[in-house]
Amino acid sequence: MDLFTPRAVARLANRHNVLLAGAGGGFDAYAALPLAVALHAAGVRVHFANLSFTDPSALAALERDGLVPVVPDSRGPATYIPERSLARALVPTGMSPVVHALPRAGVAPLRAQYALLAERLALDAIVLVDGGTDILLRGDEERLGTPEEDLASLAAVAGLDHALERQVFCLGFGIDSFHGVNHVHVLENIADLDAAGAYLGAFSIPGDAPGALLYRDAVAAAARETRRPSLVNGQIAAALAGAHGDVAVPGRTRVGELFVNPLMAMYFTVDLVGLARRHRCLERLEGTETVEDVARRIGESRVGVELRRPRVFPH
């Protein structure tokens, strides 16, 4: 092993076509931008996708041969298509300015979309990107953050038949406390993944790196174009700029004290299949068609389970 090269990056650097996909929807795909710039500079062809919260009827109008490729001039709501804002940010980079919008659906429809993308784009790697770290929870925690979309994406990609490199990148450690996640549990889960050989390491994104600068510009541009700027990406962008503490996110009403800090500017990376194996309710999501199905099955899987109590970080 090379101490100076994170394992996750080393496993992607020799791939040819890599899909970077927002696991939880909304603005999650933006967290892939620093990674995308680095892969593109290494000669890897990068593609983008995002589980979309945009009005399904607007997306249906953009559908082409079973996929929804959103481009910089795609039609749709003037104030909310995160995929279109991201496509516009990609224009000057030399990367393909297309962001495939995936349905906010259950495992079965999502898996079909990923399989179609894998075939059409000749993919040899898929990276799910999460804004925050709640995708690393295993199902027996007291609070799971916003698990439905993350777990539908995780199960969909884990069950693909293709021989693909599959990873999860998380950016924004600590952000999910907004949704009640206990980050001591996140750290315990990472340790367990490490023991199982599924943890691929963590590394900081330099604030002045080209990918960090593109990310900050893209988040700022998206905030100007949307009715509801991303609180998650606003905090990450602040961390990448060297801010810390209770930093206001323009355009968002305060709902509590924020704690922007350098850990938010680090990628935490894991093997996707290894992560999926350790989740306690993922198998029960097979065959789901809707997000409501996913939510119901998650709830059913927790009945009678002794939940881990939140702990205060001891240091």
Side-chain angles (χ1 to χ4, degrees):
M1 299 303 299
D2 180 359
L3 182 64
F4 302 102
T5 305
R7 282 198 290 172
V9 175
R11 284 166 52 166
L12 293 173
N14 62 352
R15 302 292 165 167
H16 301 289
N17 288 289
V18 176
L19 179 69
L20 307 179
F27 292 87
D28 264 7
Y30 286 68
L33 282 170
L35 173 62
V37 170
L39 291 175
H40 179 66
V44 177
R45 188 176 294 110
V46 176
H47 309 273
F48 278 84
N50 192 49
L51 192 149
S52 184
F53 289 175
T54 301
D55 179 4
S57 62
L59 294 178
L62 304 175
E63 189 268 336
R64 296 290 183 274
D65 299 323
L67 296 173
V68 182
V70 179
V71 296
D73 60 353
S74 287
R75 296 181 180 180
T79 58
Y80 189 82
I81 300 187
E83 295 81 18
R84 183 176 59 199
S85 297
L86 179 56
R88 290 171 179 170
L90 293 171
V91 170
T93 67
M95 292 181 276
S96 173
V98 178
V99 181
H100 293 89
L102 302 173
R104 186 172 177 262
V107 172
L110 261 182
R111 184 174 294 153
Q113 287 281 291
Y114 274 111
L116 189 55
L117 281 170
E119 180 182 353
R120 295 277 180 84
L121 301 176
L123 299 178
D124 51 13
I126 295 177
V127 177
L128 290 184
V129 182
D130 185 26
T133 55
D134 58 348
I135 198 172
L136 300 180
L137 299 178
R138 68 187 192 194
D140 63 348
E141 297 83 4
E142 189 171 284
R143 298 284 295 275
L144 299 180
T146 53
E148 293 83 5
E149 293 82 9
D150 284 345
L151 295 187
S153 297
L154 179 62
V157 176
L160 287 173
D161 293 332
H162 297 70
L164 295 162
E165 172 69 23
R166 285 166 284 184
Q167 299 181 15
V168 173
F169 272 57
C170 298
L171 184 63
F173 182 92
I175 282 173
D176 296 308
S177 58
F178 179 71
H179 289 116
V181 169
N182 180 259
H183 287 81
V184 172
H185 289 161
V186 175
L187 292 173
E188 289 174 346
N189 293 353
I190 290 173
D192 288 340
L193 288 164
D194 193 15
Y199 181 47
L200 302 179
F203 56 95
S204 296
I205 303 168
D208 58 354
L213 299 177
L214 174 65
Y215 171 82
R216 288 166 52 192
D217 288 345
V219 170
R224 294 191 294 269
E225 294 176 5
T226 184
R227 68 178 183 271
R228 186 176 172 81
S230 169
L231 182 63
V232 167
N233 285 284
Q235 290 182 78
I236 295 169
L240 282 167
H244 57 87
D246 191 16
V247 180
V249 175
R252 290 299 299 266
T253 303
R254 279 187 181 277
V255 292
E257 185 174 344
L258 303 177
F259 181 54
V260 173
N261 67 86
L263 292 176
M264 290 182 176
M266 293 180 65
Y267 275 131
F268 288 80
T269 68
V270 300
D271 178 83
L272 187 148
V273 175
L275 175 64
R277 286 197 189 106
R278 297 187 65 79
H279 202 284
R280 293 172 179 247
C281 70
L282 214 64
E283 287 186 359
R284 299 186 66 160
L285 306 185
E286 287 298 319
T288 51
E289 294 287 337
T290 68
V291 173
E292 291 74 23
D293 292 339
V294 172
R296 183 174 63 256
R297 299 251 187 118
I298 291 173
E300 291 170 354
S301 73
R302 285 162 61 81
V303 174
V305 173
E306 183 177 351
L307 301 180
R308 294 151 69 193
R309 294 183 178 181
R311 295 174 54 200
V312 176
F313 191 71
H315 301 293

